[in-house]
Amino acid sequence: MAKAFARVDWSFLMTIMKKIGFDDKWCNKIYQCISTSTSVVLINGSPDKFFKPTKGLRQGDPLSPYLFLFCMESLSRTPLHAEEMGIIKGIKICKAAPPISHLLFADDCMIFCKANPIEAQNIMQILRTFGSTSGKLINFHKSGVFFSKNTNPDLIPQIINSMGVQVLQLDDKYLRSPLFTHRRKINSFKPGVEKLKLRLTG
């Protein structure tokens, strides 16, 4: 997501908090904390006029990460609801395991579904709906899709075009760690382990 904290819609946040179970008194206190702040922009090192923002959470505020998680909770529940409705189908690590529709880490999200144009379009609709209601901007230029080796090659161009994202490669990394690993996981993470050893010895 682009500028995840800066684009949080306050009314959306209040709605989510009430849905989770916070009462009106507590929600009003939180709203007062986030809506009474003022900001200023430095121009050539000098502060310009102060202004009152109408949305967003302040970076560095100890309260902001927790409020941001409330917003992400709504995104987390949407794929679950979509899976219950049969709109998308998650993956299973084994036959007896429950399906996994998504994984979240901070403002990054990984969604799993069947490789077909219909489910790809459903995922895009879920993300667009979340973006329009929450005020968040999904950065599709930094998003990607990965296909399993069993995917029908004829479907891959259709899915890529409908989603408008890049194809992830096997050697792509996330937070400097391998995004995909093979059976010999020790070799996949060996470069990171070696760098950590050098820092510890230094």
Side-chain angles (χ1 to χ4, degrees):
M1 297 182 189
K3 299 180 180 179
F5 275 40
R7 300 186 63 91
V8 173
D9 184 270
W10 293 342
S11 60
F12 173 78
L13 174 60
M14 295 299 105
T15 300
I16 295 301
M17 290 184 64
K18 291 177 181 178
K19 290 285 186 181
I20 291 175
F22 290 93
D23 60 23
D24 291 338
K25 185 178 180 180
W26 183 253
C27 290
N28 290 336
K29 288 182 178 180
I30 296 297
Y31 186 79
Q32 187 177 7
C33 289
I34 62 178
S35 63
T36 56
S37 62
T38 55
S39 302
V40 65
V41 177
L42 294 178
I43 301 177
N44 295 328
S46 301
D48 197 34
K49 295 180 180 179
F50 281 85
F51 65 93
K52 295 190 67 174
T54 57
K55 63 180 179 180
L57 301 173
R58 286 181 293 176
Q59 293 278 359
D61 189 330
L63 189 62
S64 294
Y66 298 100
L67 299 179
F68 178 78
L69 288 178
F70 291 149
C71 295
M72 295 304 292
E73 179 65 20
S74 66
L75 176 60
S76 179
R77 295 189 185 190
T78 304
L80 291 175
H81 182 60
E83 191 173 18
E84 291 174 356
M85 295 177 63
I87 296 176
I88 62 173
K89 294 180 180 179
I91 62 169
K92 293 184 177 183
I93 57 175
C94 64
K95 290 183 178 180
I100 301 173
S101 61
H102 67 288
L103 295 173
L104 286 172
F105 182 78
D107 58 346
D108 293 320
C109 180
M110 185 180 292
I111 301 178
F112 304 96
C113 72
K114 297 291 184 180
N116 62 64
I118 295 176
E119 291 204 21
Q121 292 175 7
N122 291 337
I123 286 178
M124 296 302 290
Q125 185 59 46
I126 289 172
L127 296 176
R128 291 192 188 100
T129 302
F130 173 75
S132 62
T133 55
S134 67
K136 297 183 183 297
L137 179 65
I138 309 297
N139 192 340
F140 291 107
H141 294 292
K142 289 187 177 181
S143 301
V145 61
F146 179 79
F147 299 94
S148 70
K149 60 182 180 180
N150 297 324
T151 304
N152 184 348
D154 297 332
L155 293 177
I156 293 178
Q158 299 179 36
I159 296 174
I160 295 173
N161 292 333
S162 65
M163 300 185 77
V165 296
Q166 60 184 334
V167 178
L168 299 177
Q169 304 300 323
L170 278 172
D171 57 349
D172 280 350
K173 295 184 178 181
Y174 175 71
L175 298 179
R176 298 184 180 181
S177 294
L179 190 57
F180 306 102
T181 59
H182 43 74
R183 291 184 178 180
R184 300 187 65 182
K185 294 182 176 63
I186 294 178
N187 291 339
S188 299
F189 291 97
K190 189 174 181 179
V193 173
E194 294 299 327
K195 288 182 180 179
L196 181 58
K197 285 182 179 179
L198 289 175
R199 290 199 174 189
L200 292 175
T201 54

mmCIF file of all heavy atoms in Angstrom, residues 72-90 99-104 109-113 119 122-123 126-127 130:
data_model
loop_
_atom_site.group_PDB
_atom_site.id
_atom_site.type_symbol
_atom_site.label_atom_id
_atom_site.label_comp_id
_atom_site.label_asym_id
_atom_site.label_seq_id
_atom_site.Cartn_x
_atom_site.Cartn_y
_atom_site.Cartn_z
ATOM 1 N N MET A 72 -6.528 -2.763 8.980
ATOM 2 C CA MET A 72 -6.104 -3.956 8.260
ATOM 3 C C MET A 72 -6.964 -5.167 8.628
ATOM 4 O O MET A 72 -7.066 -6.119 7.860
ATOM 5 C CB MET A 72 -4.632 -4.254 8.547
ATOM 6 C CG MET A 72 -3.680 -3.181 8.023
ATOM 7 S SD MET A 72 -3.875 -2.897 6.249
ATOM 8 C CE MET A 72 -3.263 -4.440 5.601
ATOM 9 N N GLU A 73 -7.592 -5.113 9.803
ATOM 10 C CA GLU A 73 -8.482 -6.206 10.194
ATOM 11 C C GLU A 73 -9.654 -6.317 9.226
ATOM 12 O O GLU A 73 -10.119 -7.422 8.913
ATOM 13 C CB GLU A 73 -8.988 -5.972 11.618
ATOM 14 C CG GLU A 73 -9.938 -7.036 12.140
ATOM 15 C CD GLU A 73 -9.287 -8.403 12.291
ATOM 16 O OE1 GLU A 73 -8.040 -8.479 12.368
ATOM 17 O OE2 GLU A 73 -10.037 -9.400 12.333
ATOM 18 N N SER A 74 -10.104 -5.172 8.724
ATOM 19 C CA SER A 74 -11.206 -5.197 7.757
ATOM 20 C C SER A 74 -10.768 -5.860 6.455
ATOM 21 O O SER A 74 -11.530 -6.605 5.832
ATOM 22 C CB SER A 74 -11.709 -3.781 7.482
ATOM 23 O OG SER A 74 -10.716 -3.009 6.832
ATOM 24 N N LEU A 75 -9.519 -5.595 6.040
ATOM 25 C CA LEU A 75 -8.996 -6.249 4.839
ATOM 26 C C LEU A 75 -8.826 -7.748 5.074
ATOM 27 O O LEU A 75 -9.063 -8.555 4.180
ATOM 28 C CB LEU A 75 -7.660 -5.626 4.434
ATOM 29 C CG LEU A 75 -6.950 -6.267 3.239
ATOM 30 C CD1 LEU A 75 -7.818 -6.204 1.998
ATOM 31 C CD2 LEU A 75 -5.609 -5.589 2.981
ATOM 32 N N SER A 76 -8.440 -8.117 6.282
ATOM 33 C CA SER A 76 -8.232 -9.520 6.604
ATOM 34 C C SER A 76 -9.542 -10.299 6.562
ATOM 35 O O SER A 76 -9.579 -11.456 6.130
ATOM 36 C CB SER A 76 -7.596 -9.651 7.995
ATOM 37 O OG SER A 76 -7.408 -11.007 8.332
ATOM 38 N N ARG A 77 -10.622 -9.673 6.988
ATOM 39 C CA ARG A 77 -11.901 -10.388 7.034
ATOM 40 C C ARG A 77 -12.569 -10.469 5.663
ATOM 41 O O ARG A 77 -13.396 -11.352 5.435
ATOM 42 C CB ARG A 77 -12.839 -9.699 8.028
ATOM 43 C CG ARG A 77 -12.328 -9.764 9.467
ATOM 44 C CD ARG A 77 -13.346 -9.276 10.460
ATOM 45 N NE ARG A 77 -12.797 -9.245 11.812
ATOM 46 C CZ ARG A 77 -13.530 -9.039 12.906
ATOM 47 N NH1 ARG A 77 -14.827 -8.854 12.796
ATOM 48 N NH2 ARG A 77 -12.963 -9.025 14.097
ATOM 49 N N THR A 78 -12.209 -9.564 4.763
ATOM 50 C CA THR A 78 -12.853 -9.558 3.446
ATOM 51 C C THR A 78 -12.551 -10.813 2.635
ATOM 52 O O THR A 78 -13.469 -11.430 2.089
ATOM 53 C CB THR A 78 -12.451 -8.296 2.658
ATOM 54 O OG1 THR A 78 -12.780 -7.132 3.432
ATOM 55 C CG2 THR A 78 -13.197 -8.218 1.343
ATOM 56 N N PRO A 79 -11.279 -11.252 2.510
ATOM 57 C CA PRO A 79 -11.026 -12.504 1.783
ATOM 58 C C PRO A 79 -11.682 -13.717 2.453
ATOM 59 O O PRO A 79 -12.099 -14.648 1.765
ATOM 60 C CB PRO A 79 -9.496 -12.624 1.799
ATOM 61 C CG PRO A 79 -9.004 -11.249 2.006
ATOM 62 C CD PRO A 79 -10.018 -10.591 2.881
ATOM 63 N N LEU A 80 -11.759 -13.706 3.786
ATOM 64 C CA LEU A 80 -12.422 -14.807 4.486
ATOM 65 C C LEU A 80 -13.894 -14.871 4.099
ATOM 66 O O LEU A 80 -14.437 -15.951 3.850
ATOM 67 C CB LEU A 80 -12.275 -14.621 6.006
ATOM 68 C CG LEU A 80 -10.872 -14.797 6.594
ATOM 69 C CD1 LEU A 80 -10.880 -14.466 8.072
ATOM 70 C CD2 LEU A 80 -10.360 -16.212 6.368
ATOM 71 N N HIS A 81 -14.525 -13.702 4.056
ATOM 72 C CA HIS A 81 -15.930 -13.642 3.662
ATOM 73 C C HIS A 81 -16.096 -14.056 2.201
ATOM 74 O O HIS A 81 -17.048 -14.771 1.852
ATOM 75 C CB HIS A 81 -16.461 -12.227 3.874
ATOM 76 C CG HIS A 81 -17.916 -12.069 3.548
ATOM 77 N ND1 HIS A 81 -18.911 -12.786 4.180
ATOM 78 C CD2 HIS A 81 -18.547 -11.276 2.636
ATOM 79 C CE1 HIS A 81 -20.091 -12.452 3.683
ATOM 80 N NE2 HIS A 81 -19.892 -11.552 2.748
ATOM 81 N N ALA A 82 -15.164 -13.623 1.362
ATOM 82 C CA ALA A 82 -15.224 -13.986 -0.061
ATOM 83 C C ALA A 82 -15.056 -15.484 -0.255
ATOM 84 O O ALA A 82 -15.697 -16.088 -1.129
ATOM 85 C CB ALA A 82 -14.140 -13.227 -0.832
ATOM 86 N N GLU A 83 -14.220 -16.087 0.578
ATOM 87 C CA GLU A 83 -14.017 -17.537 0.482
ATOM 88 C C GLU A 83 -15.272 -18.288 0.929
ATOM 89 O O GLU A 83 -15.650 -19.307 0.340
ATOM 90 C CB GLU A 83 -12.824 -17.947 1.337
ATOM 91 C CG GLU A 83 -12.377 -19.373 1.109
ATOM 92 C CD GLU A 83 -11.093 -19.706 1.846
ATOM 93 O OE1 GLU A 83 -10.743 -18.959 2.786
ATOM 94 O OE2 GLU A 83 -10.463 -20.707 1.495
ATOM 95 N N GLU A 84 -15.930 -17.781 1.977
ATOM 96 C CA GLU A 84 -17.174 -18.405 2.442
ATOM 97 C C GLU A 84 -18.258 -18.340 1.371
ATOM 98 O O GLU A 84 -19.079 -19.256 1.243
ATOM 99 C CB GLU A 84 -17.653 -17.712 3.716
ATOM 100 C CG GLU A 84 -16.766 -17.967 4.932
ATOM 101 C CD GLU A 84 -17.190 -17.144 6.128
ATOM 102 O OE1 GLU A 84 -18.133 -16.326 5.987
ATOM 103 O OE2 GLU A 84 -16.592 -17.323 7.204
ATOM 104 N N MET A 85 -18.249 -17.258 0.587
ATOM 105 C CA MET A 85 -19.246 -17.094 -0.472
ATOM 106 C C MET A 85 -18.877 -17.848 -1.743
ATOM 107 O O MET A 85 -19.662 -17.899 -2.686
ATOM 108 C CB MET A 85 -19.414 -15.603 -0.787
ATOM 109 C CG MET A 85 -19.998 -14.777 0.350
ATOM 110 S SD MET A 85 -20.072 -13.023 -0.071
ATOM 111 C CE MET A 85 -21.208 -13.067 -1.465
ATOM 112 N N GLY A 86 -17.655 -18.404 -1.788
ATOM 113 C CA GLY A 86 -17.214 -19.130 -2.965
ATOM 114 C C GLY A 86 -16.671 -18.243 -4.065
ATOM 115 O O GLY A 86 -16.497 -18.700 -5.205
ATOM 116 N N ILE A 87 -16.388 -16.973 -3.744
ATOM 117 C CA ILE A 87 -15.863 -16.044 -4.744
ATOM 118 C C ILE A 87 -14.409 -16.360 -5.067
ATOM 119 O O ILE A 87 -13.966 -16.253 -6.209
ATOM 120 C CB ILE A 87 -16.024 -14.592 -4.260
ATOM 121 C CG1 ILE A 87 -17.522 -14.256 -4.112
ATOM 122 C CG2 ILE A 87 -15.351 -13.619 -5.218
ATOM 123 C CD1 ILE A 87 -17.773 -12.883 -3.538
ATOM 124 N N ILE A 88 -13.642 -16.720 -4.022
ATOM 125 C CA ILE A 88 -12.263 -17.160 -4.219
ATOM 126 C C ILE A 88 -12.054 -18.445 -3.435
ATOM 127 O O ILE A 88 -12.833 -18.769 -2.534
ATOM 128 C CB ILE A 88 -11.225 -16.097 -3.768
ATOM 129 C CG1 ILE A 88 -11.356 -15.823 -2.270
ATOM 130 C CG2 ILE A 88 -11.352 -14.832 -4.575
ATOM 131 C CD1 ILE A 88 -10.267 -14.919 -1.721
ATOM 132 N N LYS A 89 -11.007 -19.192 -3.785
ATOM 133 C CA LYS A 89 -10.674 -20.421 -3.083
ATOM 134 C C LYS A 89 -9.214 -20.360 -2.656
ATOM 135 O O LYS A 89 -8.332 -20.135 -3.479
ATOM 136 C CB LYS A 89 -10.912 -21.638 -3.982
ATOM 137 C CG LYS A 89 -12.381 -21.868 -4.336
ATOM 138 C CD LYS A 89 -12.539 -23.092 -5.218
ATOM 139 C CE LYS A 89 -14.008 -23.317 -5.582
ATOM 140 N NZ LYS A 89 -14.195 -24.493 -6.471
ATOM 141 N N GLY A 90 -8.975 -20.555 -1.354
ATOM 142 C CA GLY A 90 -7.619 -20.528 -0.841
ATOM 143 C C GLY A 90 -6.866 -21.806 -1.167
ATOM 144 O O GLY A 90 -7.366 -22.692 -1.861
ATOM 145 N N PRO A 99 -8.155 -24.289 4.357
ATOM 146 C CA PRO A 99 -7.628 -23.439 3.277
ATOM 147 C C PRO A 99 -7.125 -22.100 3.795
ATOM 148 O O PRO A 99 -7.665 -21.551 4.756
ATOM 149 C CB PRO A 99 -8.847 -23.254 2.359
ATOM 150 C CG PRO A 99 -10.023 -23.461 3.244
ATOM 151 C CD PRO A 99 -9.608 -24.471 4.266
ATOM 152 N N ILE A 100 -6.088 -21.590 3.168
ATOM 153 C CA ILE A 100 -5.521 -20.274 3.513
ATOM 154 C C ILE A 100 -5.844 -19.319 2.373
ATOM 155 O O ILE A 100 -5.444 -19.540 1.232
ATOM 156 C CB ILE A 100 -3.999 -20.363 3.712
ATOM 157 C CG1 ILE A 100 -3.661 -21.352 4.838
ATOM 158 C CG2 ILE A 100 -3.415 -18.986 4.032
ATOM 159 C CD1 ILE A 100 -2.179 -21.617 4.983
ATOM 160 N N SER A 101 -6.566 -18.259 2.680
ATOM 161 C CA SER A 101 -6.950 -17.299 1.642
ATOM 162 C C SER A 101 -5.998 -16.116 1.567
ATOM 163 O O SER A 101 -5.867 -15.489 0.519
ATOM 164 C CB SER A 101 -8.369 -16.779 1.893
ATOM 165 O OG SER A 101 -8.442 -16.116 3.159
ATOM 166 N N HIS A 102 -5.310 -15.807 2.696
ATOM 167 C CA HIS A 102 -4.432 -14.636 2.684
ATOM 168 C C HIS A 102 -3.483 -14.661 3.874
ATOM 169 O O HIS A 102 -3.725 -15.362 4.865
ATOM 170 C CB HIS A 102 -5.262 -13.351 2.724
ATOM 171 C CG HIS A 102 -5.995 -13.165 4.021
ATOM 172 N ND1 HIS A 102 -7.086 -13.927 4.374
ATOM 173 C CD2 HIS A 102 -5.781 -12.324 5.066
ATOM 174 C CE1 HIS A 102 -7.527 -13.554 5.560
ATOM 175 N NE2 HIS A 102 -6.750 -12.590 6.007
ATOM 176 N N LEU A 103 -2.411 -13.888 3.770
ATOM 177 C CA LEU A 103 -1.472 -13.640 4.859
ATOM 178 C C LEU A 103 -1.180 -12.146 4.885
ATOM 179 O O LEU A 103 -1.054 -11.520 3.831
ATOM 180 C CB LEU A 103 -0.169 -14.429 4.648
ATOM 181 C CG LEU A 103 -0.260 -15.961 4.684
ATOM 182 C CD1 LEU A 103 1.081 -16.558 4.281
ATOM 183 C CD2 LEU A 103 -0.673 -16.451 6.058
ATOM 184 N N LEU A 104 -1.075 -11.580 6.091
ATOM 185 C CA LEU A 104 -0.816 -10.149 6.239
ATOM 186 C C LEU A 104 0.455 -9.923 7.030
ATOM 187 O O LEU A 104 0.738 -10.634 7.995
ATOM 188 C CB LEU A 104 -1.981 -9.454 6.965
ATOM 189 C CG LEU A 104 -3.281 -9.239 6.180
ATOM 190 C CD1 LEU A 104 -4.360 -8.720 7.105
ATOM 191 C CD2 LEU A 104 -3.052 -8.264 5.046
ATOM 192 N N CYS A 109 0.120 -7.577 1.857
ATOM 193 C CA CYS A 109 -0.871 -8.647 1.878
ATOM 194 C C CYS A 109 -0.574 -9.653 0.765
ATOM 195 O O CYS A 109 -0.252 -9.265 -0.358
ATOM 196 C CB CYS A 109 -2.279 -8.061 1.695
ATOM 197 S SG CYS A 109 -3.590 -9.300 1.691
ATOM 198 N N MET A 110 -0.669 -10.930 1.099
ATOM 199 C CA MET A 110 -0.506 -11.996 0.123
ATOM 200 C C MET A 110 -1.825 -12.776 0.056
ATOM 201 O O MET A 110 -2.292 -13.288 1.073
ATOM 202 C CB MET A 110 0.638 -12.924 0.537
ATOM 203 C CG MET A 110 0.966 -13.996 -0.486
ATOM 204 S SD MET A 110 2.332 -15.059 0.072
ATOM 205 C CE MET A 110 3.695 -13.895 0.036
ATOM 206 N N ILE A 111 -2.435 -12.818 -1.117
ATOM 207 C CA ILE A 111 -3.730 -13.475 -1.293
ATOM 208 C C ILE A 111 -3.554 -14.707 -2.172
ATOM 209 O O ILE A 111 -2.863 -14.663 -3.193
ATOM 210 C CB ILE A 111 -4.747 -12.512 -1.923
ATOM 211 C CG1 ILE A 111 -4.927 -11.276 -1.038
ATOM 212 C CG2 ILE A 111 -6.096 -13.204 -2.106
ATOM 213 C CD1 ILE A 111 -5.885 -10.247 -1.596
ATOM 214 N N PHE A 112 -4.199 -15.794 -1.784
ATOM 215 C CA PHE A 112 -4.109 -17.055 -2.516
ATOM 216 C C PHE A 112 -5.455 -17.371 -3.160
ATOM 217 O O PHE A 112 -6.501 -17.185 -2.547
ATOM 218 C CB PHE A 112 -3.722 -18.198 -1.573
ATOM 219 C CG PHE A 112 -2.450 -17.956 -0.816
ATOM 220 C CD1 PHE A 112 -2.480 -17.451 0.469
ATOM 221 C CD2 PHE A 112 -1.223 -18.226 -1.390
ATOM 222 C CE1 PHE A 112 -1.309 -17.218 1.175
ATOM 223 C CE2 PHE A 112 -0.046 -18.000 -0.707
ATOM 224 C CZ PHE A 112 -0.088 -17.488 0.586
ATOM 225 N N CYS A 113 -5.405 -17.847 -4.400
ATOM 226 C CA CYS A 113 -6.639 -18.231 -5.089
ATOM 227 C C CYS A 113 -6.305 -19.186 -6.233
ATOM 228 O O CYS A 113 -5.133 -19.450 -6.523
ATOM 229 C CB CYS A 113 -7.374 -16.996 -5.624
ATOM 230 S SG CYS A 113 -6.567 -16.229 -7.041
ATOM 231 N N GLU A 119 -11.481 -15.549 -10.663
ATOM 232 C CA GLU A 119 -11.010 -15.307 -9.304
ATOM 233 C C GLU A 119 -10.034 -14.135 -9.260
ATOM 234 O O GLU A 119 -9.993 -13.390 -8.285
ATOM 235 C CB GLU A 119 -10.374 -16.569 -8.720
ATOM 236 C CG GLU A 119 -11.366 -17.668 -8.441
ATOM 237 C CD GLU A 119 -10.900 -18.647 -7.374
ATOM 238 O OE1 GLU A 119 -10.025 -18.282 -6.572
ATOM 239 O OE2 GLU A 119 -11.421 -19.777 -7.340
ATOM 240 N N ASN A 122 -12.139 -11.118 -9.176
ATOM 241 C CA ASN A 122 -12.775 -10.993 -7.866
ATOM 242 C C ASN A 122 -11.815 -10.404 -6.843
ATOM 243 O O ASN A 122 -12.204 -9.583 -6.002
ATOM 244 C CB ASN A 122 -13.280 -12.362 -7.388
ATOM 245 C CG ASN A 122 -14.446 -12.865 -8.216
ATOM 246 O OD1 ASN A 122 -15.153 -12.083 -8.847
ATOM 247 N ND2 ASN A 122 -14.656 -14.173 -8.214
ATOM 248 N N ILE A 123 -10.549 -10.824 -6.905
ATOM 249 C CA ILE A 123 -9.540 -10.279 -5.997
ATOM 250 C C ILE A 123 -9.336 -8.789 -6.257
ATOM 251 O O ILE A 123 -9.259 -7.984 -5.321
ATOM 252 C CB ILE A 123 -8.207 -11.045 -6.145
ATOM 253 C CG1 ILE A 123 -8.322 -12.415 -5.494
ATOM 254 C CG2 ILE A 123 -7.055 -10.258 -5.509
ATOM 255 C CD1 ILE A 123 -7.092 -13.256 -5.616
ATOM 256 N N ILE A 126 -12.140 -6.898 -4.752
ATOM 257 C CA ILE A 126 -11.997 -6.827 -3.294
ATOM 258 C C ILE A 126 -11.032 -5.712 -2.908
ATOM 259 O O ILE A 126 -11.305 -4.908 -2.008
ATOM 260 C CB ILE A 126 -11.502 -8.180 -2.739
ATOM 261 C CG1 ILE A 126 -12.609 -9.231 -2.835
ATOM 262 C CG2 ILE A 126 -11.026 -8.041 -1.297
ATOM 263 C CD1 ILE A 126 -12.146 -10.639 -2.489
ATOM 264 N N LEU A 127 -9.892 -5.639 -3.587
ATOM 265 C CA LEU A 127 -8.888 -4.624 -3.279
ATOM 266 C C LEU A 127 -9.384 -3.218 -3.615
ATOM 267 O O LEU A 127 -9.123 -2.270 -2.872
ATOM 268 C CB LEU A 127 -7.594 -4.920 -4.039
ATOM 269 C CG LEU A 127 -6.876 -6.225 -3.654
ATOM 270 C CD1 LEU A 127 -5.667 -6.456 -4.540
ATOM 271 C CD2 LEU A 127 -6.467 -6.194 -2.189
ATOM 272 N N PHE A 130 -11.930 -2.208 -0.931
ATOM 273 C CA PHE A 130 -11.232 -1.858 0.304
ATOM 274 C C PHE A 130 -10.569 -0.491 0.184
ATOM 275 O O PHE A 130 -10.626 0.321 1.108
ATOM 276 C CB PHE A 130 -10.186 -2.919 0.640
ATOM 277 C CG PHE A 130 -9.308 -2.552 1.806
ATOM 278 C CD1 PHE A 130 -9.807 -2.617 3.098
ATOM 279 C CD2 PHE A 130 -8.003 -2.149 1.607
ATOM 280 C CE1 PHE A 130 -9.007 -2.276 4.177
ATOM 281 C CE2 PHE A 130 -7.197 -1.810 2.679
ATOM 282 C CZ PHE A 130 -7.697 -1.876 3.969
#
